[in-house]
Amino acid sequence: MADLSQKEWEEQLEKDSNAVILDVRTEEEIEEGIIPNSINLDIYKGQEFIEELEKLDKSKNYYVYCRSGNRSGQACAIMKSLGIDNAFNLQGGFMNWEGETA
């Protein structure tokens, strides 16, 4: 897992043809907007969250974000424990995001 600044996260994501953007926020938080093309898996759903992670393609590179960067950091650690080696945490999360939103 790597903590990336928004600039690093965006630059790496742009060059990555094997990327998946993962939003680990709640449904209420998603109403504030999302980073385009992201998939939502709410980390607060506990076991259901883990089961969804287990279904993910381990060969992909995951760019993970939440509201502030804390939960996405935890999500990256959980993903690592499940054998997903390429998870990148967006430092500062969505509340500091300055890019495009949907």
Side-chain angles (χ1 to χ4, degrees):
M1 175 198 112
D3 286 317
L4 302 177
S5 69
Q6 179 174 336
K7 185 175 188 293
E8 294 166 327
W9 203 78
E10 280 187 291
E11 285 173 359
Q12 192 168 316
L13 182 58
E14 214 172 278
K15 297 177 202 151
D16 191 342
S17 60
N18 199 29
V20 176
I21 304 172
L22 206 54
D23 180 336
V24 297
R25 298 176 301 155
T26 64
E27 285 178 30
E28 294 77 27
E29 289 172 306
I30 287 174
E31 290 172 12
E32 298 167 20
I34 62 166
I35 295 173
N37 305 313
S38 58
I39 298 167
N40 174 248
L41 295 179
D42 182 352
I43 193 169
Y44 286 148
K45 292 201 169 155
Q47 188 58 40
E48 186 184 324
F49 176 71
I50 305 239
E51 287 166 9
E52 290 300 317
L53 288 180
E54 287 172 337
K55 295 176 191 171
L56 296 176
D57 181 344
K58 290 179 176 53
S59 71
K60 299 271 185 205
N61 300 320
Y62 292 92
Y63 293 80
V64 187
Y65 73 97
C66 65
R67 191 181 66 82
S68 67
N70 289 336
R71 282 173 287 165
S72 49
Q74 293 169 353
C76 287
I78 294 167
M79 292 167 80
K80 178 101 178 125
S81 74
L82 296 173
I84 299 170
D85 292 324
N86 297 320
F88 306 100
N89 181 33
L90 175 61
Q91 288 178 321
F94 189 77
M95 65 184 194
N96 291 335
W97 179 253
E98 293 172 0
E100 191 182 335
T101 60

